[in-house]
Amino acid sequence: MTWLVVYSKATQEDKAETNLKNQSFETYLPKFRKEVITLNKIKELIKPLFPRYLFVKITQNSIQKNIGLIRSTYGVSELLKIGEDPLEIKEEIIDSIRLMEKKHFQQLDRAFKKGDKVSIKEGPYKNIEAIFLIDNGEKRATILFDLIGKPTKLIVNKNKLKKTNF
């Protein structure tokens, strides 16, 4: 048994995986948790670790027979190839990706990290530039900004911040 690398159509990794599974293929789509802030809402999303890529397990002697079936699956763009042959991934590499995914899936990839340069989008401190210090939980954060020459900490809602390049 070996793994092949499938390149999906844009944002259709889940669709490609579902359709491949419906055809009795074993698939693997590594994912991670990511915090996203949109329109004043903080959401946690589960995103593909490798956007547009997933893996399908296949027997060595059935590769040629199944290439057309895999490539014509709804959501699949193509198979990764080296020359004319599909790129094969060893089981050990997939196992190490699974292990890494398991370790890191417990941690949420936060929208802001310590040291990020941010500015406040609204309120009395609108357009104030600051440094992100710490995430105080689900919705709030501590930032550091310069108030009349003195470094000052302020606790704000994360959805009121945006990253900047000051």
Side-chain angles (χ1 to χ4, degrees):
M1 298 291 263
T2 189
W3 291 88
L4 303 180
V5 182
V6 174
Y7 187 66
S8 74
K9 294 182 179 171
T11 68
Q12 293 190 21
E13 301 91 348
D14 290 320
K15 203 173 284 185
E17 181 183 40
T18 299
N19 290 316
L20 286 165
K21 282 182 176 179
N22 288 342
Q23 297 173 70
S24 301
F25 287 107
E26 182 180 342
T27 63
Y28 174 49
L29 176 58
K31 295 183 177 184
F32 72 104
R33 294 172 37 220
K34 182 175 182 69
E35 179 181 66
V36 178
I37 300 174
T38 57
L39 299 173
N40 295 331
K41 290 186 180 181
I42 300 170
K43 293 193 271 183
E44 181 182 316
L45 301 177
I46 296 177
K47 307 279 281 177
L49 186 59
F50 308 114
R52 295 188 72 177
Y53 293 95
L54 63 145
F55 305 95
V56 63
K57 194 173 192 177
I58 196 164
T59 60
Q60 204 67 13
N61 51 349
S62 70
I63 291 176
Q64 291 305 320
K65 182 179 93 175
N66 287 310
I67 284 178
L69 186 59
I70 293 169
R71 288 181 60 215
S72 64
T73 299
Y74 186 67
V76 171
S77 179
E78 60 186 304
L79 279 170
L80 247 55
K81 294 181 178 183
I82 296 179
E84 292 298 314
D85 297 322
L87 176 63
E88 296 180 32
I89 305 293
K90 293 182 179 175
E91 187 79 37
E92 298 81 40
I93 294 173
I94 298 295
D95 289 343
S96 65
I97 294 171
R98 286 185 201 268
L99 185 62
M100 181 191 68
E101 177 189 26
K102 186 176 180 181
K103 280 183 188 176
H104 294 285
F105 199 79
Q106 305 305 321
Q107 301 169 349
L108 180 63
D109 185 20
R110 299 279 180 186
F112 300 104
K113 303 200 178 9
K114 183 175 182 174
D116 282 352
K117 296 172 182 174
V118 297
S119 67
I120 300 172
K121 295 191 287 190
E122 58 187 65
Y125 297 103
K126 183 176 181 176
N127 297 327
I128 294 288
E129 295 174 335
I131 304 294
F132 187 87
L133 286 182
I134 190 166
D135 196 309
N136 294 347
E138 196 174 304
K139 295 183 179 180
R140 298 177 67 77
T142 302
I143 60 171
L144 181 67
F145 70 102
D146 189 29
L147 180 66
I148 315 170
K150 180 181 175 200
T152 306
K153 289 182 182 180
L154 180 67
I155 296 173
V156 296
N157 286 334
K158 289 189 287 188
N159 61 357
K160 305 293 185 224
L161 298 175
K162 68 178 177 181
K163 285 188 182 181
T164 61
N165 295 323
F166 67 87

